[in-house]
Amino acid sequence: TSLTMQNSTDNSFVKKLQSSGRSLVVFYGSQTGTGEEFAGRLAKEGVRYRMKGMVADPEECDMEDLVNLKNIPNSLAVFCMATYGEGDPTDNAMEFYEWLQNGDADLTGLNYAVFGLGNKTYEHYNEVAIYIDKRLEELGATRVYELGLGDDDANIEDDFITWKDKFWPAVCEYFGIESTGEDISIRQYRLEEYEDAPDRVYTGEMARLHSLKNQRPPYDAKNPYLAKITVNRELFTSGDRNCMHIEFDIEDSKMRYDSGDHLAVYPINNSELVEKIGKLCEKNLDTIFSLINTDEESSKKHPFPCPCSYRTALTHYLDITQNPRTHVLKELAEYCSDPAEKEKLKLMASTSPEGKALYQKWIIEDNRNIVHILEDTPSCKPALDHLCELLPRLQPRYYSISSSPRLHPSTVHATAVVVEYKTPTGRINKGVATTWLREKIPKEDQAALTVPIFIRKSQFRLPTKPQTPVIMIGPGTGVAPFRGFIQERFSAKEDGKQVGQTVLYFGCRKKTEDYIYQEEFEKYENNGLLTLKLAFSRDQPQKVYVTHLLEKDADLIWNIFENNGHLYICGDAKSMAVDVRNVILRIIQEKGNMTEEQAQAYYKKMETQKRISMDVWS
Ligand code: FAD
């Protein structure tokens, strides 16, 4: 069970720690950056407790080196691990996870603690962190502080700082260290501004300079493909919401996809918001700057591609629309000239009950982003480079691909609802990616509109044999991957193959408003391929949802299960996926004459056989 890493000496994090006089290493399993951010905060805080820390990506480390960490006196490994999808580790933690599962390393003498990042609306809440915490102990390691679990559905920042607040004293007690008591802010990066523009200036690339101008395959998250938008049309026929059907041209990209894969889009921030930050911070956004890691041992030299202009950083690299986390408020407080404003920001960054309540109200419920905070705290004039250090990275947005490569080999389709809502302070918040995409409507006589994309493989797959019957449950935009699945089965049928029962449960508000892809689905129904089951919640006095249809169709569903069929659920993780699961469990129990436990085991077995799959998001 050796990790397939390159040269283990290069990847020895223990050597790195030793050579730089550190004793704390914080690993992260992160998909959207939060785990990495939390890890960074813990590593940075170590200094206060005489534990110089380092953040480490398990993918870039030889994790077998954990057995050697005990050679460093008073050393500690912390794991900030996110759980993803159906209880899976994040991509960068996959190998480490497998090594823990299959290996039997002796970790006696290793001190550790785990904080998990999860979401309670998902069935496999924080499973990865729970497993790692348990497994490390089984392998002989010593848990220095109890497992912390963060719930992204509620307030993960609150969970994290509450855990951290008890974690540090426990660490101090365990190692017999006294806190230095210093609560000074330490910058991780130093600023360099350039009077004359340097030769190499990034303008939105993810890694290689000019990679968006001189495109070279293979394309991936670090090297996205600039795809032309060939179609961008509205799918809703009335009402005040919008849903886009977008087609991206991948003809010249050499990229391949399968139905069920995800399309990732790198959006940019709204220019008005970017300019506002420049004004509020009183900074010329054309200034070219670099942030350079003061920790020379770190593999991360810059927080984002540098040098670039402040405008580029705020437009392409930084998230300026999320609710900022407490450590950001704490640093912002130092820039307030009004004592009352300073106290308010400090209070919100504290772990006191009043502080937490105020953060919950003023930041989360009132939904303030960094621009709103600066507007509503007028004496706060942060150094823009410091703000750039503190803000999280802007993340790509994912979309379930809504086409099949059999019908559309040279285009990838996405189906996206435009996010726009009013906040309690009366502001209109607009979704970064969807609002940006909405403007990108190709016109014949105009230059092509392009978007940086890449394709992420998924586990969401049709059965290999087209005869296998399938049930697809996808209300709203949850229907996206099923459009691809249906196209796939249609194509198999056209090729003369026998195609099994193909049942789609779709639901929306009104037939005449948001029934997307109606014509296409009806065509497949008429041609005998598709069985359509529709729930229009607002078309009759009492609300009807897909779950109601499922309840009525217990016999059909049980019959498909017993004929080796597959079940797919896609869409809103919050309520829909849980409700559907419960209905299915009841059907299994009733039709299979089972107890609740037996029904659950039956369901679990179908999951492990990949006969029940979910593609849900919140
Ligand atoms: P953002 O700027 O990211 O804003 C969205 C955020 O705003 C939300 O997370 C929420 O915090 C907040 N918000 C939204 N509405 C409200 C409200 N009414 N009140 C308060 N706060 C609110 N989306 C699709 O449309 N189609 C798909 O096929 C699809 N597939 C996905 C597949 C996967 C694997 C994943 C992870 C997500 C998928 N999504 C899909 C969601 C998609 O990735 C984006 O999250 C979505 O398009 C919003 O992006 P945005 O940048 O426009 O909004």
Side-chain angles (χ1 to χ4, degrees):
T1 56
S2 164
L3 290 182
T4 54
M5 294 287 160
Q6 311 118 32
N7 190 334
S8 72
T9 47
D10 291 345
N11 298 307
S12 168
F13 64 86
V14 173
K15 286 209 172 110
K16 247 186 184 168
L17 289 167
Q18 277 167 330
S19 67
S20 55
R22 282 169 233 237
S23 53
L24 167 69
V25 55
V26 191
F27 295 102
Y28 59 88
S30 184
Q31 201 87 354
T32 59
T34 314
E36 184 179 356
E37 187 199 311
F38 286 0
R41 287 164 67 182
L42 286 170
K44 203 167 140 180
E45 285 174 6
V47 178
R48 284 189 215 151
Y49 309 96
R50 301 178 211 282
M51 290 192 109
K52 206 171 154 203
M54 175 175 99
V55 184
D57 179 349
E59 201 171 30
E60 289 174 7
C61 295
D62 178 0
M63 295 303 280
E64 288 178 47
D65 216 16
L66 279 175
V67 298
N68 301 319
L69 190 61
K70 61 173 181 289
N71 299 336
I72 301 179
N74 286 355
S75 56
L76 172 66
V78 183
F79 299 83
C80 292
M81 308 304 282
T83 297
Y84 210 62
E86 297 177 29
D88 305 317
T90 57
D91 293 343
N92 77 318
M94 196 69 87
E95 255 184 287
F96 168 54
Y97 197 68
E98 282 166 10
W99 176 75
L100 276 183
Q101 280 179 320
N102 305 325
D104 55 359
D106 179 7
L107 296 181
T108 310
L110 169 72
N111 303 310
Y112 78 95
V114 181
F115 183 83
L117 297 92
N119 187 312
K120 266 199 187 140
T121 55
Y122 293 79
E123 188 195 335
H124 306 268
Y125 178 59
N126 259 316
E127 260 175 27
V128 169
I130 293 168
Y131 176 77
I132 291 178
D133 181 64
K134 181 178 101 224
R135 184 68 182 149
L136 288 172
E137 185 177 48
E138 279 170 12
L139 295 174
T142 307
R143 185 186 295 107
V144 168
Y145 185 59
E146 69 188 48
L147 170 68
L149 296 181
D151 176 15
D152 201 22
D153 186 47
N155 183 348
I156 200 163
E157 173 69 14
D158 191 333
D159 298 331
F160 178 62
I161 60 173
T162 306
W163 178 81
K164 198 158 67 68
D165 231 31
K166 299 216 172 77
F167 160 78
W168 283 120
V171 169
C172 289
E173 195 185 319
Y174 181 81
F175 292 114
I177 347 176
E178 262 174 57
S179 155
T180 59
E182 287 168 76
D183 198 6
I184 41 154
S185 117
I186 317 139
R187 291 281 302 261
Q188 186 65 57
Y189 298 92
R190 73 180 161 81
L191 170 69
E192 195 163 319
E193 284 186 353
Y194 306 85
E195 283 193 8
D196 303 312
D199 294 339
R200 299 166 55 85
V201 174
Y202 289 88
T203 55
E205 301 89 333
M206 285 304 139
R208 179 170 57 87
L209 191 73
H210 302 317
S211 60
L212 295 171
K213 276 191 211 118
N214 309 322
Q215 292 249 284
R216 260 190 257 139
Y219 298 105
D220 54 29
K222 292 214 166 97
N223 183 33
Y225 176 66
L226 264 190
K228 277 202 286 287
I229 291 187
T230 53
V231 174
N232 186 353
R233 64 183 165 86
E234 176 61 46
L235 290 175
F236 289 167
T237 40
S238 67
D240 51 6
R241 296 173 306 145
N242 298 91
C243 184
M244 303 173 282
H245 170 83
I246 308 182
E247 301 186 6
F248 300 85
D249 185 348
I250 55 162
E251 171 107 60
D252 301 327
S253 71
K254 297 202 170 80
M255 287 196 288
R256 296 278 171 274
Y257 74 100
D258 282 305
S259 330
D261 284 343
H262 297 133
L263 171 77
V265 173
Y266 278 109
I268 61 170
N269 283 310
N270 175 287
S271 61
E272 267 176 49
L273 287 181
V274 170
E275 295 306 319
K276 267 191 189 170
I277 294 180
K279 287 223 169 64
L280 289 160
C281 294
E282 297 169 354
K283 187 84 197 174
N284 178 358
L285 293 181
D286 293 319
T287 310
I288 308 290
F289 76 118
S290 283
L291 287 176
I292 301 154
N293 204 327
T294 53
D295 175 1
E296 280 165 16
E297 295 284 322
S298 172
S299 56
K300 195 170 165 183
K301 295 277 168 266
H302 313 284
F304 44 78
C306 289
C308 66
S309 71
Y310 284 107
R311 183 174 287 102
T312 297
L314 293 170
T315 305
H316 292 270
Y317 299 137
L318 297 169
D319 190 317
I320 58 172
T321 61
Q322 259 184 30
N323 304 133
R325 301 195 184 281
T326 56
H327 72 292
V328 179
L329 303 179
K330 187 169 169 188
E331 308 270 358
L332 284 181
E334 300 307 315
Y335 292 99
C336 293
S337 52
D338 176 344
E341 288 181 355
K342 186 187 188 103
E343 278 318 304
K344 183 172 178 181
L345 292 181
K346 271 177 120 167
L347 180 62
M348 280 190 286
S350 77
T351 46
S352 72
E354 311 92 272
K356 283 183 171 185
L358 188 60
Y359 178 81
Q360 181 64 25
K361 166 78 181 70
W362 208 73
I363 301 290
I364 305 291
E365 281 163 32
D366 287 352
N367 216 324
R368 281 185 171 85
N369 61 33
I370 185 64
V371 179
H372 306 153
I373 292 168
L374 294 177
E375 280 174 346
D376 295 345
T377 321
S379 87
C380 181
K381 298 282 170 214
L384 186 52
D385 65 288
H386 196 179
L387 192 59
C388 289
E389 172 173 335
L390 294 169
L391 292 173
R393 280 290 294 266
L394 182 60
Q395 295 295 322
R397 297 332 197 234
Y398 291 97
Y399 297 94
S400 303
I401 293 178
S402 58
S403 52
S404 155
R406 282 165 167 260
L407 291 201
H408 303 281
S410 60
T411 53
V412 171
H413 302 186
T415 309
V417 170
V418 176
V419 171
E420 191 174 318
Y421 58 95
K422 199 171 180 174
T423 74
T425 63
R427 293 165 163 121
I428 305 290
N429 275 2
K430 294 178 176 180
V432 176
T434 50
T435 313
W436 177 65
L437 286 169
R438 194 180 175 186
E439 304 295 319
K440 296 199 170 287
I441 299 174
K443 305 220 170 60
E444 241 173 55
D445 50 349
Q446 280 174 17
L449 299 165
T450 58
V451 173
I453 64 163
F454 64 95
I455 286 162
R456 189 173 70 186
K457 292 275 150 215
S458 88
Q459 303 278 326
F460 204 63
R461 286 284 182 270
L462 273 173
T464 33
K465 291 192 194 123
Q467 303 98 292
T468 310
V470 297
I471 304 167
M472 301 170 286
I473 304 167
T477 39
V479 81
F482 302 138
R483 179 174 178 265
F485 279 11
I486 294 163
Q487 288 180 355
E488 191 93 13
R489 309 233 325 162
F490 170 75
S491 157
K493 198 174 172 200
E494 293 279 282
D495 291 349
K497 298 213 177 85
Q498 235 205 316
V499 176
Q501 231 177 336
T502 307
V503 188
L504 172 68
Y505 287 86
F506 174 77
C508 63
R509 290 183 187 171
K510 285 166 178 278
K511 188 171 183 181
T512 54
E513 189 173 306
D514 51 355
Y515 179 10
I516 58 179
Y517 301 121
Q518 175 177 3
E519 268 177 42
E520 293 182 23
F521 293 150
E522 285 176 355
K523 185 189 87 190
Y524 293 124
E525 187 182 40
N526 293 335
N527 133 314
L529 175 83
L530 183 66
T531 309
L532 263 179
K533 304 277 183 174
L534 303 166
F536 301 110
S537 64
R538 300 188 183 175
D539 275 351
Q540 60 285 308
Q542 75 286 21
K543 293 256 163 55
V544 177
Y545 297 111
V546 285
T547 40
H548 295 117
L549 305 184
L550 292 169
E551 270 163 3
K552 284 203 190 113
D553 288 348
D555 285 319
L556 170 79
I557 289 160
W558 180 246
N559 188 32
I560 288 182
F561 281 2
E562 287 294 275
N563 281 295
N564 242 336
H566 289 219
L567 174 83
Y568 300 89
I569 305 168
C570 178
D572 174 24
K574 216 177 182 92
S575 51
M576 187 277 295
V578 178
D579 294 347
V580 166
R581 181 172 185 273
N582 289 336
V583 173
I584 298 295
L585 279 171
R586 279 205 298 277
I587 292 173
I588 297 171
Q589 197 180 335
E590 187 192 313
K591 295 292 160 190
N593 287 320
M594 294 183 202
T595 63
E596 209 178 315
E597 288 74 43
Q598 286 171 324
Q600 267 164 4
Y602 185 99
Y603 192 99
K604 248 235 140 66
K605 189 165 172 210
M606 281 187 73
E607 276 184 326
T608 31
Q609 294 170 330
K610 295 271 166 223
R611 287 176 53 215
I612 292 186
S613 309
M614 290 221 248
D615 184 32
V616 293
W617 62 83
S618 50

